[in-house]
Amino acid sequence: MEQLTATVLDTTFRNEENGYTVLRVAVGRGQQTVVGAMPELSSGENVTFQGEWSEHPVYGRQFAAKTCEITPPDSTAAVEKYLGSGLIRGIGPSTAKLIVRHFGMDAMSVLDEHPERLTEVSGIGPKKAAMILESFAEQMSVRRVMLFLQNYGLSPNLATKIAKYYGETAVELIRQNPYRLVTDIDGVGFLTADRIALSMGVDPHSEFRVRSALYYLLSEAAAGGGHTYLPKSVLAQGAVRMLHVEEELVENQITQALLTKMIVAFRLPDQEENCLCLPFYFQAESEIAERLHYLMEARPYKKVTGLPERIAALEKELELSLSARQRQAVQSAVEEGVLIITGGPGTGKTTIIRCILKLLKDDNNILLCAPTGRAAKRMTEATGEEAKTIHRMLEYGGEENVFARDENYPLETDCLIVDEMSMVDVALMRGLLRAVLPGTRLILVGDADQLPSVGAGNVLRDLLQSGVVPSVRLTDIFRQDESSMIVVNAHKINEGQMPTLNRRGADFFFERQTSQSEAARTICTLLQTRLPKYLGFPKAEWQREAVRAIQVLSPTKKGDCGSLNLNRLLQAALNPERPGVETLLHGETEFRVGDKVIQTKNDYQLAYTRKTSTGSEEGAGVFNGDVGYVESIDPAEHLLSVCFDDERYVTYQKQQLDALELAYCLTVHKSQGCEFPAVVMPVVGGPPMLMARNLLYTALTRARRLVVLVGREDVIAQMVANNHVVRRYTTLKARLEATVA
């Protein structure tokens, strides 16, 4: 192995996922190229690389680094270049110049040993100094961990998480038990931890290894498949296949995991073998069933008399003619402790909510909520009453990231209405029910035929299938929606019928394209000119309005018509790079001012400011599925500001941008709970498990004014015919049934 000592000039390419980097470095008076997986390096840093020289057929001679060792900058120019590289939050080129002018070559030691002296520099107050110090310490800690982990292929982002979680003891703790990474660090899977452990000489038959695999398989079943448990045989066989060990060893460690209460075992009435799950999901589903039982038994403590007469008077007042089932829904919502109202688009769910509000609001305190910001905003617009996200209503946050509202600090309401229930998973449902007192009316509204929640569980479907919770299924389409081909076709698809395509003057169209590449080009053309013109947008606002009003939904992430590629194409078409408009390259994504973006992970610590009629309010928490628009970019400081749909303004720092993606095109799964004026969807094929009826149905029901499908009729027919719903292993239905047994 050869050694190369050089000074970093700049980074030509960097993959944030795996840390693979292409560097231009100075060696003596010449320049060389260094490649390999490494920590994020800054211009001006002196680095000693270990590796081998090679000749690339295209890029020529380059040094393939296996390890690297960073040494402090050796000149004031190098110090200034390093500090101003954007690696340290709060220090851009101008601030770096001031720091070096004041401290000279001592700047690095001041940061490391006497950070309080930063306030000596003009323009750096205590607040900014604290931010700089935090970022600098974080970088140093991350680098130490990364240098330790670089031989194991961990990404820089994961190394950052590991360093933050464990602090200075990270290396020591990982050496003691690498499998702790699986349970402690979000994003580290078993396979990664296992690779590290085996490289360190851990016995393949180690109990740590087997038990960590069991935990991982149950966690992955919840996160990836929505399962709250696995049958014992499924879990055991999965562990044997993954670990390449004997079944007896796995069985023994399952027993040990049960004894240590790492996992829980139980038996369902219709199953012959034990079910195994993580304690959290066992407790969550048990608690949901128990609390719903209490709410149903208690009945509303505020009674309403003369209900049939009042409903009749309400119909006359609102000039409505409710069907028998709709009238039943209104009456049951007022009389029952818990009621589920379910039905497809156009069946009057929102109208019923408005009727309930009209009947109760004079004598009752009513709260409205939904799982996402967009769904809550839509609920507010439809009812005229304020609706909040469930997280905001339950006052999520604090130092421990928990719901402030619970049985000790319950919601102050006589009636709680929850919309888009298909999106609510077991964790959120448990948190919600903890804050609802018996005697409160709980009204759950949703479409049971939508895709299930992204998180674990199948709450709405389990509630309905149990037959325990009172429910009303709406089937009749309101007169005003009978002409909408979106509504008509959604119901046709749900019933296994081919939708009607291209009826003149309708709101549902089909564009025939046989290949993925042709479909992708057509979608770009539709959003650039054809649909903005058809929807009547002012020509000068075509691009802006297309970004905000038209949502492309794809069944998949990959392929020419997957969300990843379509986002790149649509960004180029609708928000091209322009002089004077700031951009920010993060990983493989170039963000631009005006981009539509989506948050892909819950971040309960991310601060926001919301503009209100009386000023502004501050809070924390941005959630998976929140959609917004890039308001401003500061490339020097690597900062990006986003305005989300509910008027939350959030500033992202560099390490927080990993959870932000372009949103010109979303997967159908990510669009749940959202509604858009127009939806465009490619239908040109994909994995059979994704090309299913409920996915097509969900996509259509996201649109208010217009749906355009681009692709092939045979693919649409295949999706309509494919009514296979992947089973989720859940216990809520059985637990509800047990409460009345």
Side-chain angles (χ1 to χ4, degrees):
M1 194 173 292
E2 299 180 70
Q3 182 174 292
L4 176 69
T5 299
T7 302
V8 177
L9 295 175
D10 55 52
T11 300
T12 305
F13 170 80
R14 180 168 180 81
N15 185 328
E16 292 290 342
E17 292 299 314
N18 57 22
Y20 182 82
T21 305
V22 179
L23 293 174
R24 191 166 63 91
V25 301
V27 183
R29 294 185 178 180
Q31 295 183 12
Q32 300 289 348
T33 300
V34 177
V35 300
M38 62 189 75
E40 190 167 7
L41 301 172
S42 296
S43 303
E45 289 193 289
N46 298 318
V47 188
T48 299
F49 301 97
Q50 300 281 346
E52 303 288 345
W53 285 101
S54 63
E55 193 72 29
H56 193 279
V58 177
Y59 301 110
R61 182 174 167 83
Q62 56 187 27
F63 191 82
K66 301 295 183 186
T67 66
C68 64
E69 183 179 347
I70 304 160
T71 56
D74 59 359
S75 68
T76 55
V79 172
E80 185 179 318
K81 200 167 185 179
Y82 167 72
L83 292 177
S85 65
L87 199 61
I88 302 170
R89 292 192 305 278
I91 302 182
S94 57
T95 303
K97 188 181 290 290
L98 292 172
I99 292 173
V100 174
R101 185 183 297 167
H102 190 85
F103 295 114
M105 286 297 296
D106 294 332
M108 299 298 291
S109 62
V110 168
L111 280 167
D112 200 25
E113 300 170 13
H114 304 288
E116 71 279 356
R117 292 189 61 195
L118 282 174
T119 55
E120 296 175 13
V121 179
S122 176
I124 299 180
K127 189 174 180 181
K128 188 171 182 177
M131 180 175 67
I132 293 170
L133 173 60
E134 183 184 1
S135 179
F136 181 76
E138 194 178 280
Q139 289 296 330
M140 295 300 103
S141 177
V142 168
R143 288 189 178 201
R144 284 192 287 272
V145 176
M146 289 185 68
L147 293 173
F148 167 70
L149 295 172
Q150 63 184 350
N151 294 321
Y152 304 113
L154 261 71
S155 73
N157 297 329
L158 282 180
T160 302
K161 285 185 180 180
I162 292 167
K164 269 188 169 181
Y165 189 87
Y166 295 126
E168 295 182 358
T169 61
V171 173
E172 181 183 350
L173 290 171
I174 294 168
R175 281 188 172 131
Q176 288 174 359
N177 178 16
Y179 295 106
R180 68 171 61 241
L181 292 169
V182 179
T183 54
D184 292 346
I185 308 298
D186 181 33
V188 177
F190 174 81
L191 296 178
T192 299
D194 197 44
R195 185 175 68 247
I196 296 170
L198 295 176
S199 300
M200 291 178 176
V202 171
D203 184 354
H205 295 84
S206 160
E207 65 179 43
F208 286 129
R209 183 171 187 248
V210 179
R211 271 191 248 172
S212 179
L214 295 172
Y215 181 92
Y216 167 76
L217 287 168
L218 287 170
S219 299
E220 189 61 22
H227 307 296
T228 58
Y229 77 91
L230 290 176
K232 184 181 177 182
S233 60
V234 173
L235 178 62
Q237 290 161 15
V240 169
R241 284 196 303 271
M242 188 167 67
L243 300 175
H244 305 289
V245 297
E246 303 78 16
E247 189 172 346
E248 185 182 357
L249 175 62
V250 172
E251 291 281 353
N252 288 337
Q253 289 308 312
I254 287 176
T255 302
Q256 290 301 312
L258 289 168
L259 290 171
T260 59
K261 299 182 180 179
M262 187 185 90
I263 60 178
V264 178
F266 56 91
R267 185 77 57 90
L268 292 176
D270 60 342
Q271 293 195 351
E272 296 180 357
E273 63 174 320
N274 278 342
C275 306
L276 303 176
C277 71
L278 299 175
F280 173 84
Y281 295 109
F282 180 85
Q283 294 159 4
E285 290 193 306
S286 298
E287 191 175 333
I288 290 169
E290 188 177 284
R291 290 183 179 274
L292 283 172
H293 177 72
Y294 290 151
L295 287 168
M296 287 186 290
E297 286 290 306
R299 299 293 181 110
Y301 61 84
K302 282 195 177 182
K303 308 298 181 183
V304 177
T305 58
L307 197 52
E309 294 78 12
R310 292 188 64 178
I311 294 175
L314 185 64
E315 286 184 76
K316 189 175 181 179
E317 180 187 344
L318 299 179
E319 298 181 350
L320 293 173
S321 180
L322 300 176
S323 69
R325 196 162 289 185
Q326 291 161 347
R327 199 172 293 112
Q328 179 197 344
V330 176
Q331 183 163 336
S332 297
V334 176
E335 293 178 339
E336 299 286 353
V338 182
L339 179 72
I340 302 170
I341 301 172
T342 185
T347 55
K349 296 190 297 294
T350 301
T351 297
I352 288 170
I353 293 173
R354 288 202 297 263
C355 289
I356 295 166
L357 290 170
K358 192 79 171 175
L359 282 170
L360 296 178
K361 70 177 185 179
D362 289 342
D363 303 313
N364 293 263
N365 180 25
I366 305 171
L367 291 178
L368 284 72
C369 65
T372 67
R374 279 207 162 191
K377 185 179 181 181
R378 193 174 71 250
M379 199 179 185
T380 298
E381 292 168 350
T383 63
E385 302 289 337
E386 183 188 14
K388 298 180 178 179
T389 65
I390 297 174
H391 282 84
R392 188 181 173 204
M393 183 184 68
L394 298 179
E395 300 176 21
Y396 192 94
E399 294 182 0
E400 298 181 355
N401 287 327
V402 296
F403 294 120
R405 294 284 185 173
D406 58 16
E407 57 268 37
N408 298 313
Y409 179 38
L411 294 168
E412 297 168 6
T413 185
D414 305 308
C415 177
L416 175 63
I417 304 176
V418 187
D419 201 7
E420 294 288 354
M421 268 299 299
S422 62
M423 298 182 66
V424 176
D425 59 24
V426 293
L428 190 56
M429 189 65 176
R430 182 176 75 161
L432 180 68
L433 291 178
R434 282 182 170 181
V436 180
L437 289 174
T440 304
R441 291 180 180 87
L442 178 62
I443 302 166
L444 309 174
V445 184
D447 186 348
D449 296 314
Q450 298 274 352
L451 292 170
S453 60
V454 175
N458 208 350
V459 175
L460 180 59
R461 190 163 292 181
D462 281 352
L463 297 185
L464 289 166
Q465 290 182 352
S466 74
V468 173
V469 182
S471 65
V472 179
R473 180 179 285 272
L474 306 173
T475 55
D476 297 330
I477 301 175
F478 268 11
R479 283 199 306 270
Q480 62 263 36
D481 291 316
E482 288 177 348
S483 62
S484 169
M485 293 309 299
I486 298 173
V487 173
V488 171
N489 280 336
H491 285 270
K492 277 189 170 186
I493 290 166
N494 204 32
E495 294 163 7
Q497 301 174 32
M498 192 68 177
T500 302
L501 306 177
N502 294 339
R503 178 175 291 178
R504 184 177 295 274
D507 54 6
F508 189 104
F509 297 97
F510 172 70
E511 287 272 332
R512 186 178 291 104
Q513 295 294 346
T514 56
S515 73
Q516 290 216 12
S517 58
E518 289 171 347
R521 285 194 294 271
T522 297
I523 288 170
C524 288
T525 303
L526 283 167
L527 269 77
Q528 274 186 301
T529 55
R530 293 172 60 190
L531 290 184
K533 184 179 181 180
Y534 179 81
L535 292 167
F537 299 150
K539 190 171 182 178
E541 298 290 323
W542 276 5
Q543 290 186 338
R544 181 180 180 278
E545 290 298 324
V547 171
R548 295 182 177 267
I550 307 169
Q551 184 61 58
V552 180
L553 300 180
S554 175
T556 67
K557 290 183 69 173
K558 298 179 179 178
D560 286 352
C561 281
S563 61
L564 294 176
N565 187 56
L566 282 174
N567 267 317
R568 287 191 288 267
L569 295 177
L570 289 165
Q571 184 192 46
L574 301 174
N575 190 27
E577 193 168 355
R578 304 183 299 280
V581 178
E582 295 289 359
T583 65
L584 180 64
L585 184 65
H586 184 77
E588 296 182 0
T589 302
E590 182 178 71
F591 293 105
R592 301 168 187 167
V593 172
D595 275 339
K596 181 191 281 187
V597 291
I598 185 171
Q599 177 78 9
T600 61
K601 295 179 181 176
N602 291 336
D603 188 334
Y604 305 114
Q605 301 296 332
L606 194 53
Y608 67 77
T609 301
R610 176 185 280 111
K611 293 182 179 179
T612 67
S613 56
T614 56
S616 64
E617 64 177 32
E618 295 184 349
V622 182
F623 305 103
N624 185 13
D626 287 350
V627 174
Y629 303 89
V630 177
E631 289 280 302
S632 64
I633 289 174
D634 183 344
E637 303 292 349
H638 214 95
L639 300 175
L640 182 149
S641 295
V642 176
C643 176
F644 287 99
D645 286 334
D646 55 355
E647 301 300 316
R648 284 173 299 158
Y649 288 80
V650 177
T651 297
Y652 286 79
Q653 297 173 354
K654 186 174 184 177
Q655 73 275 16
Q656 298 163 327
L657 286 171
D658 296 332
L660 204 64
E661 294 179 0
L662 296 176
Y664 298 96
C665 178
L666 301 176
T667 63
V668 178
H669 284 83
K670 282 185 179 176
S671 73
Q672 287 175 266
C674 299
E675 195 174 78
F676 314 97
V679 165
V680 178
M681 182 180 179
V683 281
V684 283
M689 63 180 296
L690 290 175
M691 306 304 288
R693 184 188 300 176
N694 64 344
L695 186 138
L696 182 59
Y697 172 81
T698 299
L700 264 61
T701 58
R702 301 303 87 203
R704 290 198 304 270
R705 292 177 57 189
L706 180 68
V707 167
V708 182
L709 301 182
V710 181
R712 306 197 325 254
E713 293 100 325
D714 65 303
V715 174
I716 298 173
Q718 289 167 14
M719 295 182 76
V720 172
N722 181 10
N723 197 31
H724 177 69
V725 178
V726 178
R727 180 188 174 184
R728 290 192 170 189
Y729 293 115
T730 62
T731 71
L732 183 55
K733 174 178 175 288
R735 296 189 188 284
L736 285 164
E737 291 168 345
T739 64
V740 296

